């Protein structure tokens, strides 16, 4: 769940990170008083949206006097950035920047640990810096078990060649950001740019915070204090009727997961799952030229009726011609129960399972029993000797016929 | 009426026994049995949820309960 910049900065302020003076405004006419409150010097006005690309869209502007600030705010409010409406405008004092740095803490799934990415070339695309100037980017992993020590942050900064008083000033900021990342179950805590001002001070100019959606309940107090309501999903777009129906299927039965769907406009419905299996299978379908009608996640041994209701929901979606039922090798989901669910879903939707299920590829627990059911209904199925990639290819090929 | 995949049959000789009905209701993880004043009732809408755990079999004398896989 993404935070707006002003919320991220509010969190940073609570932890003592250095920030410039700022004020949030909800109407253009408030820009004048904000300008005065910030000291009457040059200001920057930034649209608060949950998306990048603000500068390019004209949603970040500068002003040297009160009238210009109001004019800038008037221009910014109606601008949609990547389809997102401006929630408010953050008015900040403009600072004289001598040098920009980048620091982000995120989760490294491969290393199964958080990683601190630091660069002394901030303000620009970090991926590009990593490609063109790899010696200016450091990656420092740290533990979620062993207590975090300040020297880890210092190492991260020093690894890019920063020394002296800059190193001593930057390291505590990076250390605090690491602590924030761990304390609030974040998936991203980023400061870019982290600016060194002409007078030698360091200031956070922009920040991104992403919180693990499942951790919302645990951090309810913070979210309430920041004004983030329970009903704010913070997704890129509001859920569709199909997605809401999927959520209802999932919520109706506590057994397993089946119903977390994302809607697309293709003709191949997907009943897929198993950890990263959903992503792998979705990509495989697309790689073969298939057009998924949906993304979904099933797992954790859903009941027959849950798999059935999900199947019926997907089959009810206009344009869906067939479904592909695929998972990685499963140990905690019963193959036969899912087989029963998808077949019964087809039957209750008035469709022939043999014609409707393009492929069933779920190997694992109780597969012999599952395969007996599939055979009886004439459904094309395969075991683990067929890769997920090839199974997806078989499903896509059937739609081409 | 049986389910699409599973049928559960309780022999008439034990179907009216309230003790057995109670045990069956308690033991089945997917609520296929309901204990009623007249004995055990099969909840047909749950038949296809049967997880084939066989926990119900020892709740009645041997052979009095049958789990039938209709796909075999
Ligand atoms: S085998 Fe298990 S799930 Fe099936 S009816 Fe008996 S107790 Fe219930």
């Amino acid at each position: 769940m993404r935070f707006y910049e002003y919320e991220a900065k509010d969190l940073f302020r609570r932890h003592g990170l250095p920030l410039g003076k700022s004020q949030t405004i909800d109407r253009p006419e408030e820009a004048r008083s904000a300008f005065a409150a910030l000291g009457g010097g040059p200001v920057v006005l930034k649209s608060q949206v949950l998306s990048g690309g603000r500068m390019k869209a004209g949603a970040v502007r500068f002003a040297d006097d009160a009238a210009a600030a109001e004019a800038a705010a008037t221009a910014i409010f109606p601008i949609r950035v990547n389809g997102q409406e401006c929630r408010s405008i953050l008015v900040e004092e403009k600072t004289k920047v001598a040098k920009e740095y980048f620091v982000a803490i995120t989760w490294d799934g491969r290393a199964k640990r958080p990683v601190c990415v630091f660069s002394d070339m901030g303000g620009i695309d970090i991926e590009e810096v990593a490609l063109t100037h790899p010696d200016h980017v450091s990656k420092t992993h740290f533990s979620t078990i062993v207590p975090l020590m300040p020297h880890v942050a210092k190492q991260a900064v020093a690894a890019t060649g920063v020394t002296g008083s800059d190193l001593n000033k930057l390291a505590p900021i990076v250390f605090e950001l690491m602590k924030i990342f761990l304390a609030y179950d974040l998936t991203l805590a980023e400061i870019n740019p982290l600016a060194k001002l002409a007078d030698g001070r360091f200031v956070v100019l922009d920040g991104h915070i992403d919180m693990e959606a499942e951790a919302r309940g645990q951090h309810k107090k913070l979210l309430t204090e920041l004004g983030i309501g329970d009903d704010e999903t913070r997704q890129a777009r509001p859920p569709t009727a199909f997605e809401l129906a999927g959520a209802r299927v999932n919520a109706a039965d506590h057994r397993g997961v089946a119903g977390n769907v994302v809607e697309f406009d293709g003709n191949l419905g997907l009943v897929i799952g198993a950890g990263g299996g959903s992503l792998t299978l979705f990509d495989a379908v697309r790689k073969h030229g298939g057009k998924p009608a949906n993304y979904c996640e099933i797992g954790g041994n859903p009941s027959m009726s849950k798999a059935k209701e999900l199947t019926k929901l997907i089959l009810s979606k206009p344009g869906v011609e067939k479904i592909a039922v695929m998972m990685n090798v499963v140990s905690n989901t019963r193959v036969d129960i899912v087989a029963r669910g998808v077949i019964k879903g087809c039957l209750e939707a008035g469709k022939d399972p043999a014609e409707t299920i393009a492929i069933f590829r779920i190997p694992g627990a109780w597969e012999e029993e599952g395969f007996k059911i599939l055979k009886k209904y004439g459904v094309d199925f395969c075991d683990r000797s067929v890769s997920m990639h090839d199974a997806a290819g078989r499903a896509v090929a059937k739609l081409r016929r | 009426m049986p389910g699409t995949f599973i049928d559960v049959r309780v022999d008439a000789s034990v179907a009216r026994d309230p003790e057995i009905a109670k045990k069956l209701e308690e033991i089945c993880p997917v609520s296929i049995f309901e204990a009623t004043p007249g004995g055990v009732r099969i909840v047909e809408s749950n038949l296809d949820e049967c997880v084939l755990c066989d926990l119900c079999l020892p709740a009645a004398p041997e052979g009095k309960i049958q789990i039938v896989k209709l796909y075999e």
Side-chain angles (χ1 to χ4, degrees), chain B residues 8 28-30 32-33 50-56 67:
Chain B
V8 176
C28 178
V30 292
I32 284 174
F33 305 99
C50 173
V51 290
L52 307 176
C53 63
D54 288 351
L55 286 172
C56 52
I67 306 294

Side-chain angles (χ1 to χ4, degrees), chain A residues 12-47:
Chain A
F12 292 159
R13 191 168 283 116
R14 290 156 185 255
H15 285 265
L17 291 184
L19 291 144
K21 280 192 272 176
S22 67
Q23 204 164 311
T24 313
I25 60 167
D26 298 319
R27 289 191 307 274
E29 47 283 19
E30 292 170 3
R32 283 178 182 267
S33 56
F35 182 85
L38 295 176
V43 293
V44 55
L45 296 96
K46 300 194 267 186
S47 175

Side-chain angles (χ1 to χ4, degrees), chain A residues 253 255 301 303-306 334 336-337 339-341 343-344 347 366 369 372-373 376-377, chain B residues 2-6 29-31 44-53 69-72:
Chain A
D253 187 335
R255 294 169 288 184
N301 207 22
S303 63
M304 184 286 303
S305 49
K306 204 161 178 174
R334 290 243 319 237
D336 59 329
I337 302 290
R340 284 188 217 167
I343 287 172
K344 201 161 178 176
L347 295 172
W366 290 70
E369 209 67 36
K372 278 187 225 166
I373 298 169
K376 156 128 187 189
Y377 285 88
Chain B
T4 308
F5 308 99
I6 302 289
V30 292
S31 307
E44 289 174 355
S45 57
N46 286 348
L47 279 169
D48 286 328
E49 301 283 2
C50 173
V51 290
L52 307 176
C53 63
K69 298 176 193 169
L70 302 170
Y71 49 86
E72 280 190 331

Side-chain angles (χ1 to χ4, degrees), chain A residues 96-119:
Chain A
K96 271 214 167 86
V97 175
K99 186 171 170 63
E100 293 183 330
Y101 295 84
F102 171 97
V103 56
I105 321 296
T106 188
W107 185 258
D108 182 342
R110 224 174 258 183
K112 297 188 172 72
R113 282 188 298 167
V115 60
C116 169
V117 181
F118 182 87
S119 174

